[in-house]
């Protein structure tokens, strides 16, 4: 076959491709309209009987060279794609989604930007144990120019016999020290009934991993006028995590930040498995600030620094780490908290890496 003959035939094929393209899109538009009509009438979009009729009609009229099976297969693909199209149309654009809001959410508290240009460190003791204990950490924070102090007053512990936290007294300690050193305070609240009370004392309310799907707590958090730091559930998928955040926004509170804190896997070398890819994924899918908790994900002091670097490198808005004046006698998480000199070294190493630039405002 001569070269120009091949070219002519290719052109014809291109032409037919374009005609098919136009036709299948025309068909898709009709299917979409029909889908909307069916939805109004409350009837099911997928109608196997109708599909059978369409396939029969096609096969009856099939003159080849495609055999009947090939025709069935090709058209099944078109039918399938139309159903997916209707699903996409129906999917509500979530309030947390980048599709809803393209620009990053930045939450500013006492001059500290969560989700701003400069990634930050969220640190403090696992539990608030005493005024002196928290003050020692806060004093060092102030010296180092750190602005965010986190400590647990309500501790959701695996065993009921372990230290459960100081409760409201712990929040009062945080308030006093937060005021003294101009620090943004963060603490976990576990009961909807305590949320209002907590807003008197702390600047950011944390919802911990164990409560990520406590929907009543999420809804109540959506009704307070305080930023919420939501941690990923122990075995939560990214989708479940996103929906949990949506619960809070859907009740009116748009000041939500997310924290990847490791998920349960078969791996025993670390306390949890840090899902580092969750960070860029959540940044892509949502407009919310995203943090990485290196303490509860790794459960290992020797992994805190490399994992913090990884967190910053993949674009997290900050890293969470626990520091205690005397971790050996800490009432919770004694094994993985840093002491103050170790913490300072951790901060120095991060500064030296250039991934973290400090945060004096
Ligand atoms: C915490 O941050 O204090 C904590 C208990 O972590 P998580 O909820 O992620 O287990
Ligand atoms: Mn802890």
């Amino acid at each position: 076959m001569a070269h120009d003959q091949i070219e002519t035939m290719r052109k014809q094929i291109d032409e037919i491709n374009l005609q098919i393209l136009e036709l299948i899109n025309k068909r898709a538009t009709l299917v979409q309209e029909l889908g909307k009509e069916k939805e109004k009438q409350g009837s099911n979009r997928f109608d196997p009987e109708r599909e059978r009729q369409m396939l029969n009609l096609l096969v009856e009229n099939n003159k080849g060279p495609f055999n009947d099976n090939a025709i069935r297969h090709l058209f099944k693909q078109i039918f399938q794609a139309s159903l997916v199209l209707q699903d996409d149309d129906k999917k509500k654009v979530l309030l947390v989604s980048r599709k809803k809001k393209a620009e990053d959410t930045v939450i500013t508290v006492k001059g500290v930007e969560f989700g701003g240009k400069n990634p930050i460190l969220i640190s403090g003791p696992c539990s608030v144990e005493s005024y002196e204990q928290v003050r020692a950490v806060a004093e060092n924070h102030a010296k180092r120019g750190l602005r965010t102090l986190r400590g647990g007053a309500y501790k959701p512990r695996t065993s009921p016999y372990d230290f459960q936290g100081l409760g409201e007294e712990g929040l009062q300690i945080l308030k006093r020290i937060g005021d003294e050193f101009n620090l943004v305070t963060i603490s976990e609240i576990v009961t909807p009934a305590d949320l209002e009370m907590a807003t008197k004392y702390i600047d950011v309310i944390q919802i911990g991993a164990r409560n990520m799907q406590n929907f009543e707590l999420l809804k109540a958090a959506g009704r307070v006028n305080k930023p919420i730091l939501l941690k990923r559930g122990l075995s939560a998928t990214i989708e479940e995590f996103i929906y949990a955040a949506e619960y809070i926004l859907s009740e009116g509170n748009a000041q939500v930040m997310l924290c990847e804190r490791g998920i349960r896997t078969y791996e025993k070398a670390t306390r949890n498995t840090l899902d580092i890819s969750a960070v860029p994924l959540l940044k892509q899918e949502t407009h919310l600030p995203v943090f990485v908790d290196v303490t509860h994900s790794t459960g290992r002091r020797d992994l805190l620094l490399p994992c913090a670097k990884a967190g910053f490198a993949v674009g997290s808005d900050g890293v969470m780490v626990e520091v205690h004046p005397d971790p050996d006698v800490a009432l919770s998480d004694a094994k993985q908290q840093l002491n103050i000199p170790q913490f300072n070294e951790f901060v120095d190493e991060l500064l030296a890496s250039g991934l973290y630039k400090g945060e004096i405002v």
Side-chain angles (χ1 to χ4, degrees), residues 74-92:
L74 282 169
F75 276 86
K76 265 304 266 190
Q77 295 292 316
I78 296 176
F79 299 165
Q80 196 60 37
S82 303
L83 272 179
V84 171
L85 191 68
Q86 288 185 16
D87 271 347
D88 287 349
D89 276 357
K90 277 184 69 183
K91 234 180 235 166
K92 190 168 159 33

Side-chain angles (χ1 to χ4, degrees), residues 175-192:
K175 162 97 180 116
R176 192 172 152 201
I177 294 172
D179 288 347
E180 205 175 328
F181 293 99
N182 188 29
L183 299 174
V184 176
T185 55
I186 306 182
S187 201
E188 176 168 357
I189 298 300
V190 295
T191 319

Side-chain angles (χ1 to χ4, degrees), residues 125-127 150 155 271 295-296 322 332-333 336-337:
C126 182
S127 297
R150 197 208 73 115
K155 297 303 298 178
R271 177 163 158 177
T295 299
H296 298 100
E322 287 184 346
S332 57
D333 283 351
Q336 61 259 29
Q337 297 195 68

Side-chain angles (χ1 to χ4, degrees), residues 233-246:
L234 308 182
S235 306
T237 63
I238 300 272
E239 189 184 30
E240 288 163 342
F241 192 16
I242 288 177
Y243 274 117
E246 183 73 9

Side-chain angles (χ1 to χ4, degrees), residues 200-260:
K200 287 195 296 191
Y201 303 117
I202 51 174
D203 300 309
V204 176
I205 289 167
Q206 177 176 315
I207 294 184
R210 284 151 198 83
N211 274 320
M212 190 209 81
Q213 283 191 317
N214 180 340
F215 299 116
E216 291 311 312
L217 183 63
L218 297 176
K219 284 191 263 183
R223 294 190 288 264
V224 298
N225 186 20
K226 282 280 172 196
I228 308 292
L229 175 68
L230 177 66
K231 300 189 81 176
R232 182 175 182 180
L234 308 182
S235 306
T237 63
I238 300 272
E239 189 184 30
E240 288 163 342
F241 192 16
I242 288 177
Y243 274 117
E246 183 73 9
Y247 260 92
I248 305 173
L249 270 88
S250 72
E251 291 288 331
N253 188 353
Q255 300 185 88
V256 176
M257 29 197 160
L258 306 173
C259 183
E260 159 60 35

Side-chain angles (χ1 to χ4, degrees), residues 2 83 92 96 110 171 176 281 342 345:
L83 272 179
K92 190 168 159 33
V96 297
K110 290 182 173 166
L171 300 183
R176 192 172 152 201
L281 198 56
Q342 285 166 340
E345 205 177 304

